[in-house]
Amino acid sequence: MPTEQPTPEPGPGPGSTPRPVPVPYAPEGTLADGPAHDPAEAPFLGLLATGAAAEEYERPVLRARAGGAAAGRLAALERAKFLALRARAELEDRRRREAELSALYATAHDLAGLRDLDAVLRAIVRRARSLLGTEVAYLTLNDPSAGDTYMRVTDGSVSARFQQLRLGMGEGLGGLVAQTARPYVTDSYFHDERFRHTRTIDSGVQDEGLVAILGVPLMLGSGVIGVLFAADRRERVFEHGQIALLAAHAAHAAVAIDTANLLAETRKTLTELEAANEIIRDRSAVIERASDVHDRLTELVLRGGGVQDVAGAVAEVLHGEVEFTGPGGAPAEALDRSRADGHAVRDGADWVAAVGAGGEVLGALVLRGHPALDPVDQRTLERAAMVTSLLLLARRTAGEAEQRVRGELLDDLLNAADRDPRLLRERAARVGADLDAPHVVLAARTDGPRPDDAHSHGTDRRRLRSAASHLAATRRGLAAVRDGGAVLLLPLGPDGDPAHTARETAARLGAALHLPVTVGASAPVPAPAARPAAVADAYAEARRCREALGALGRAGQGAAAADFGFLGLLLADTRDVDGFVHRTLGAVTDYDAHRGTELLRTLGAYFACGMSPARTKDALHVHVNTVAQRLDRVSRLLGPDWQTPPRALEIQLALRLHQLSSAVAGDTGA
């Protein structure tokens, strides 16, 4: 049974950066022109600075021992030598890694500039041999019709028989790599029983004189198109870093082969259309545009461009208007066809290319006003959609990492009231939040029609989490998933009104999800970092407000305790009686205070007399017209609906609470 060689992270390979030439070693105790009696590290620092060979590091110790140095001095030198050698090894390792990465980037750049398939294949094999410093390198390609793999290009080979080999799937080392799509390596081919030997293959390998062979698959998507090999005519151990380096080179090579194949197909199409000179010119222009957009998209990805940059580049190449839209911004029928077919589809005078990954639709690229689209231009639009999906997935990955950080911080605030405020502030600063500023806690939940299946319900919850996290990030706040909904901790706006923040949050989340989202808000939390326990209390209040909205038939809205009138006294943790009285009667009490009127007394008598003006005038000993004038003024101050049953109930409760608080204040003053 063959043993698979693991594919490690890229690591050190054969050294490709020349070591500096050592300079004559200075005597112990001196470094350059410095003073004598330097510490034990001094001679080794000089060796590090000059890039001396490893054996040079023994000389300071030998000199000291020969000079009869004390045991402490010898121990210090041995310790300094150990540290210096370790630093030298680390520097050498980093130089090798840097050289390998530079060579890999140079290879990718060279391959991107080639258009001919044969030139691409020769460059791939030649660079593979150079990267690993082997005597031979070669490349085989799969033949789907024959069900085997055949030798395509060699570099350093001298055997004609070897250059014409064909390997069945699972035969020899190369056939095993092609079949399993995994790297395999052998230090001694003819003594390795992990794979199936055949007379034909062994004869070809023996004729070439190969002993140590490393093979890695050329992957295109999830399929194998061939195998890339590096081999020596002597036994050799290929290190993990070298295996990873060749695998990385093979990944670049597969993309270059795919690009060369695409361009070859395009040139074949042009050759078939040579009958008409006008068509030839037109097709040449198409090829130029395809090449141009390929180069532009590659450059955009390398420099970290965004989705709109991709749309702009494709629009310029295709001479049209290209727009990226979300899943709801493109025609649904065209988007479904494009997702099912995997190609751009025509929708009237427009073209729609779905942008998605793993069955999820992330949006679409829409080319407007361009009904006659060339097939190559159509492919260009499709490739741009694929690049867009990669960019969106990369952005999502980064966003999800930040979401986790924000969510974990909010979970700690809700679950652990004894967290160290200093640590909370430091963690908040990493995501741009200021937990010493006033915040409001919001409890959000989707309240659309309940989905019939658990998958749809889970999708709605994930979308709510994503939308809440995005809103928290833009507002420099925090968000987490809890109790079947989302909880947000957002800074208070300039108006300092939690109710306004709740309504705004419900509107923004609802628009993002295309579902009603109900949001309850707490009273302000002055400094969450200083009092973490207040966050949990505020969350409980926000949930009560959210549940009250649902019970009152106000799903899809946002509110705080202050929006519920006297019911808010029951919902809020603060029991802000004075605030309720002022919100309900403040206009009347302020009017009496400034003008010396008795509107509040008249209002109390009016309700006490069953809302009868005639009985009210007797209770106050005034004319009935005076009562009417005062009630008219009350209507202007409280609004025309102040006598409706719900408002009248709140006003009477506020009057009673005002009387009780005034009586308590009077007793205290006495």
Side-chain angles (χ1 to χ4, degrees), residues 40-59:
E41 293 84 355
F44 300 107
L45 291 176
L47 294 172
L48 282 173
T50 59
E55 55 269 18
E56 294 290 335
Y57 289 73
E58 289 292 341
R59 295 188 178 180

Side-chain angles (χ1 to χ4, degrees), residues 529-545:
R531 295 180 58 245
V535 178
D537 295 339
Y539 173 56
E541 178 182 337
R543 287 188 63 194
R544 289 195 295 270
C545 290

Side-chain angles (χ1 to χ4, degrees), residues 407-428 435 482 527-536:
E408 290 169 359
L409 176 55
L410 183 51
D411 283 336
D412 285 347
L413 285 168
L414 291 170
N415 297 333
D418 57 347
R419 292 282 182 182
D420 184 353
R422 180 181 58 82
L423 295 178
L424 292 174
R425 292 186 181 96
E426 290 178 358
R427 292 170 61 188
L435 294 185
R482 184 172 285 250
R531 295 180 58 245
V535 178

Side-chain angles (χ1 to χ4, degrees), residues 578-639:
D578 291 340
F580 168 71
V581 172
H582 187 267
R583 286 192 300 271
T584 307
L585 297 175
V588 176
T589 56
D590 291 345
Y591 190 89
D592 281 348
H594 287 101
R595 291 172 173 77
T597 56
E598 295 186 339
L599 297 184
L600 193 65
R601 179 168 171 261
T602 301
L603 194 58
Y606 178 68
F607 282 115
C609 294
M611 302 176 71
S612 169
R615 290 199 294 271
T616 301
K617 61 99 177 174
D618 294 335
L620 296 176
H621 305 291
V622 297
H623 196 276
V624 69
N625 289 341
T626 302
V627 174
Q629 292 171 1
R630 292 179 180 178
L631 294 179
D632 182 62
R633 175 61 63 183
V634 168
S635 294
R636 291 186 218 167
L637 294 172
L638 298 183

Side-chain angles (χ1 to χ4, degrees), residues 266-557:
T266 305
R267 293 191 185 98
K268 180 180 178 181
T269 302
L270 287 173
T271 302
E272 295 172 351
L273 297 176
E274 285 180 352
N277 195 40
E278 184 65 28
I279 296 178
I280 290 176
R281 286 198 296 267
D282 179 66
R283 301 303 295 178
S284 297
V286 169
I287 295 300
E288 289 300 323
R289 289 200 302 274
S291 178
D292 185 23
V293 76
H294 174 268
D295 294 341
R296 290 188 183 205
L297 293 180
T298 302
E299 181 184 0
L300 279 174
V301 172
L302 291 177
R303 75 165 190 247
V307 172
Q308 298 305 326
D309 296 324
V310 173
V314 177
E316 186 175 346
V317 171
L318 299 183
H319 305 292
E321 178 188 349
V322 179
E323 177 188 6
F324 172 75
T325 68
E333 189 270 337
L335 187 61
D336 290 340
R337 281 193 291 125
S338 177
R339 179 181 59 176
D341 297 343
H343 298 289
V345 299
R346 183 173 171 179
D347 181 60
D350 302 336
W351 285 82
V352 177
V355 175
E360 179 185 0
V361 177
L362 305 175
L365 283 182
V366 181
L367 174 62
R368 303 195 184 280
H370 212 310
L373 189 63
D374 185 275
V376 178
D377 287 343
Q378 179 181 345
R379 178 64 173 160
T380 296
L381 183 62
E382 293 164 0
R383 280 184 173 268
M386 181 177 65
V387 172
T388 301
S389 68
L390 293 175
L391 292 175
L392 290 175
L393 287 176
R395 184 190 303 171
R396 173 186 288 183
T397 301
E400 287 175 349
E402 183 176 343
Q403 288 177 16
R404 286 194 296 271
V405 173
R406 293 178 182 274
E408 290 169 359
L409 176 55
L410 183 51
D411 283 336
D412 285 347
L413 285 168
L414 291 170
N415 297 333
D418 57 347
R419 292 282 182 182
D420 184 353
R422 180 181 58 82
L423 295 178
L424 292 174
R425 292 186 181 96
E426 290 178 358
R427 292 170 61 188
R430 296 191 191 106
V431 294
D434 179 11
L435 294 185
D436 287 318
H439 282 65
V440 60
V441 178
L442 304 158
R445 182 184 62 198
T446 56
D447 283 303
R450 289 289 184 263
D452 296 333
D453 58 284
H455 175 73
S456 298
H457 184 57
T459 300
D460 288 345
R461 292 181 62 180
R462 287 193 296 272
R463 292 174 59 208
L464 175 61
R465 176 187 63 186
S466 178
S469 298
H470 176 72
L471 177 60
T474 57
R475 291 283 304 274
R476 302 171 69 86
L478 307 175
V481 175
R482 184 172 285 250
D483 303 321
V487 54
L488 299 93
L489 181 67
L490 300 181
L492 271 177
D495 55 5
D497 183 9
H500 174 75
T501 303
R503 289 190 290 271
E504 180 184 30
T505 302
R508 293 185 62 176
L509 293 180
L513 272 64
H514 302 288
L515 286 172
V517 178
T518 307
V519 178
S522 71
V525 181
R531 295 180 58 245
V535 178
D537 295 339
Y539 173 56
E541 178 182 337
R543 287 188 63 194
R544 289 195 295 270
C545 290
R546 184 189 67 190
E547 299 304 322
L549 283 171
L552 295 173
R554 294 171 58 184
Q557 300 182 24

